[in-house]
């Protein structure tokens, strides 16, 4: 009797502790159960699903509805979902596949992307400052030349 009770308690615990409705995740990003895993590493998951592109996008819009830093970008050949917050995953790419199905790729957030973005912004600031400096120098020389020419005309008359 004690073993039966333990089995029932264990079964109840297993049902309660699993994710609701069988939803799975990879790095905290939801994963469709209908997808067939093509490749999986610690930083990347690639799936192939028989659902249409619009059905997959609808699933991710519903699954990520509660997150505030999620951006959906519609491209010609894919939908790109990006996390601008501090989640463990960086992006979900939903390719507009053929009639055979849709490809879904989930990529982990990595320091290479973060540092690369910061370096580009850092360089961008100095490029903008350099353009401003050069344009102000050129305009200063042009204005100085015009002022000298006007003073020479005044002195000559």
């Amino acid at each position: 009797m004690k073993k039966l009770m333990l089995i029932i308690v264990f079964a109840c615990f297993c049902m309660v502790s699993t994710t609701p409705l069988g939803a799975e995740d990879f790095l905290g990003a939801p994963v469709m159960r209908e997808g067939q895993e093509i490749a999986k590493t610690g930083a990347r998951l690639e799936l192939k699903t028989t659902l249409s592109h619009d059905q997959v996008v609808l699933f991710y819009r519903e699954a990520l509805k509660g997150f505030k830093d999620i951006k959906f970008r519609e491209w010609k050949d894919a939908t790109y979902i990006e996390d601008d917050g501090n989640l463990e995953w960086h992006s979900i790419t939903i390719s507009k596949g053929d009639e055979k199905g849709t490809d879904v790729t989930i990529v982990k957030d990595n320091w290479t992307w973060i540092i690369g973005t910061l370096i580009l912004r850092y360089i961008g600031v100095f490029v903008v400052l350099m353009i401003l400096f050069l344009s102000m120098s050129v305009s200063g020389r042009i204005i100085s030349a015009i002022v000298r020419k006007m003073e020479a005309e005044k002195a000559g008359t």
Side-chain angles (χ1 to χ4, degrees):
M1 186 68 169
K2 287 183 182 182
K3 286 185 181 184
L4 180 62
M5 191 62 128
L6 271 171
I7 291 172
I8 292 173
V9 169
F10 180 74
C12 290
F13 175 76
C14 288
M15 285 191 290
V16 171
S17 69
T18 58
T19 54
L21 301 176
E24 300 172 15
D25 71 351
F26 175 73
L27 301 172
V31 175
M32 299 186 76
R33 295 188 81 188
E34 294 85 6
Q36 177 187 4
E37 188 176 298
I38 296 172
K40 182 176 183 179
T41 65
R44 184 180 187 93
L45 174 66
E46 296 180 26
L47 301 170
K48 180 85 168 175
T49 180
T50 57
L51 299 175
S52 71
H53 174 265
D54 295 334
Q55 290 172 321
V56 176
V57 170
L58 182 63
F59 168 80
Y60 279 103
R61 283 195 189 278
E62 287 297 317
L64 300 172
K65 190 175 10 180
F67 296 95
K68 65 177 183 167
D69 293 325
I70 304 296
K71 292 184 182 170
F72 285 78
R73 293 189 173 102
E74 294 293 334
W75 294 341
K76 183 177 76 168
D77 57 346
T79 299
Y80 185 74
I81 305 169
E82 184 176 27
D83 168 47
D84 290 338
N86 59 353
L87 297 177
E88 196 172 347
W89 58 275
H90 170 67
S91 67
I92 301 171
T93 305
I94 305 167
S95 301
K96 293 182 181 174
D98 50 14
E99 57 276 346
K100 294 179 184 175
T102 305
D103 295 327
V104 178
T105 306
I106 302 172
V107 179
K108 181 180 181 179
D109 206 0
N110 58 28
W111 281 100
T112 305
W113 179 85
I114 295 168
I115 298 299
T117 303
L118 290 174
I119 289 172
L120 282 174
R121 289 179 182 181
Y122 186 76
I123 291 171
V125 167
F126 284 104
V127 167
V128 168
L129 289 175
M130 196 59 127
I131 290 170
L132 285 172
F133 173 73
L134 291 175
S135 61
M136 289 178 69
S137 296
V138 169
S139 68
R141 288 179 191 227
I142 292 171
I143 292 171
S144 295
I146 292 172
V147 168
R148 264 188 266 127
K149 187 176 179 183
M150 289 175 64
E151 287 178 354
E153 286 178 4
K154 269 188 183 177
T157 32

